[in-house]
Amino acid sequence: SCFCIRVSSTGELRIATGYSSNKVYFSNAFGTNWSVLTTAPNISSNIFKGVDLSSTGQNMLLGTSAGIYSSENSGSSWTKISSTQAPWINYQSVAVSADGIYQTAVPQSGSKIYVSNNYGRDGSWAVFTTTQSSGWSSVCMSRDGAVQAAVGAGVGASNRVWISVNSGVTWALAGDSPPIGYETVIASSSGTVLLTGAYDNNSGKGAPLYRSVNGGATWAPITALKNFSWGDITMNRYPW
């Protein structure tokens, strides 16, 4: 099964992580043909999870169940971020700005968010601790990396949408986002429009999509899309 898939700005380059196969797959032909990325990190019994790439595909970030890996040559080689920068734990989701400069990773458990402001290079990572209590399920950012959003699957006052408007330097709870268990979040190119979806809103009946049109300040449900269990969503982030 496919855990995550991301596409370059032209659509020519595509990268995906296989959850059950524990492989990374790559296409440089608009998805017509796929092959196993043989240069992907050898992580043995660990699992490939979140992946993202810059608009050209030159810069890539890969989250695994045992740390973060970055590439600056379209996946030809990878560098594992040292444990002093980002602990070798289970990273659920990652995000990369269009130019590759800003890169963010969130772990499946814990309250911390890990952010790089220098192409994901080792030594450039900083950590921000939130009051999120249940870990993270998804992170995204605008084209320039200025606006970023992260969500977790837990339910409670601190388990809402978290927003950064300064490229991940600081984070805060987003406006009136409801305290439900979110699975996925995506931002438009400018970061003005944000969409987030939950697997279930604790009612056993699914949940609507929620949308913000002001960078996360206020949120409203899309009532035409309710009572679904959302695993992933996307929107047109291009042209850049």
Side-chain angles (χ1 to χ4, degrees):
S1 60
C2 180
F3 188 89
C4 182
I5 184 169
R6 292 293 182 264
V7 182
S8 67
S9 61
T10 64
E12 182 177 3
L13 303 180
R14 307 181 184 203
I15 190 168
T17 52
Y19 187 83
S20 56
S21 66
N22 198 27
K23 289 181 172 59
V24 178
Y25 299 90
F26 186 75
S27 172
N28 58 5
F30 299 93
T32 302
N33 301 304
W34 289 82
S35 59
V36 174
L37 187 64
T38 57
T39 56
N42 181 5
I43 61 172
S44 62
S45 61
N46 296 309
I47 300 170
F48 292 113
K49 304 195 82 174
V51 66
D52 202 7
L53 70 169
S54 60
S55 62
T56 63
Q58 178 176 344
N59 297 93
M60 296 180 173
L61 190 65
L62 182 62
T64 77
S65 59
I68 309 169
Y69 294 81
S70 66
S71 173
E72 294 187 62
N73 51 20
S74 301
S76 295
S77 62
W78 297 82
T79 299
K80 187 174 186 179
I81 307 306
S82 62
S83 60
T84 57
Q85 288 282 292
W88 292 349
I89 55 178
N90 189 350
Y91 290 88
Q92 186 76 0
S93 180
V94 300
V96 177
S97 62
D99 56 13
I101 294 176
Y102 297 102
Q103 304 192 13
T104 299
V106 291
Q108 187 176 38
S109 301
S111 61
K112 296 179 179 179
I113 299 174
Y114 298 87
V115 179
S116 167
N117 61 2
N118 189 21
Y119 298 96
R121 293 166 184 163
D122 205 16
S124 69
W125 289 82
V127 59
F128 185 87
T129 301
T130 71
T131 57
Q132 172 83 355
S133 62
S134 64
W136 305 98
S137 53
S138 183
V139 66
C140 69
M141 66 176 66
S142 59
R143 170 190 176 183
D144 60 6
V147 178
Q148 303 188 18
V151 296
V155 177
S158 295
N159 298 326
R160 295 187 279 146
V161 182
W162 285 79
I163 295 286
S164 173
V165 294
N166 53 13
S167 302
V169 176
T170 58
W171 294 77
L173 284 169
D176 57 355
S177 57
I180 61 176
Y182 296 100
E183 287 292 324
T184 181
V185 64
I186 191 70
S188 65
S189 178
S190 66
T192 302
V193 179
L194 296 162
L195 289 174
T196 189
Y199 183 76
D200 194 350
N201 66 356
N202 249 13
S203 67
K205 299 179 181 179
L209 282 179
Y210 285 85
R211 175 174 57 191
S212 172
V213 295
N214 51 18
T218 58
W219 294 80
I222 301 176
T223 55
L225 298 170
K226 61 182 180 179
N227 298 335
F228 292 96
S229 294
W230 301 96
D232 198 13
I233 52 177
T234 191
M235 70 171 72
N236 183 10
R237 298 170 58 196
Y238 304 108
W240 294 105

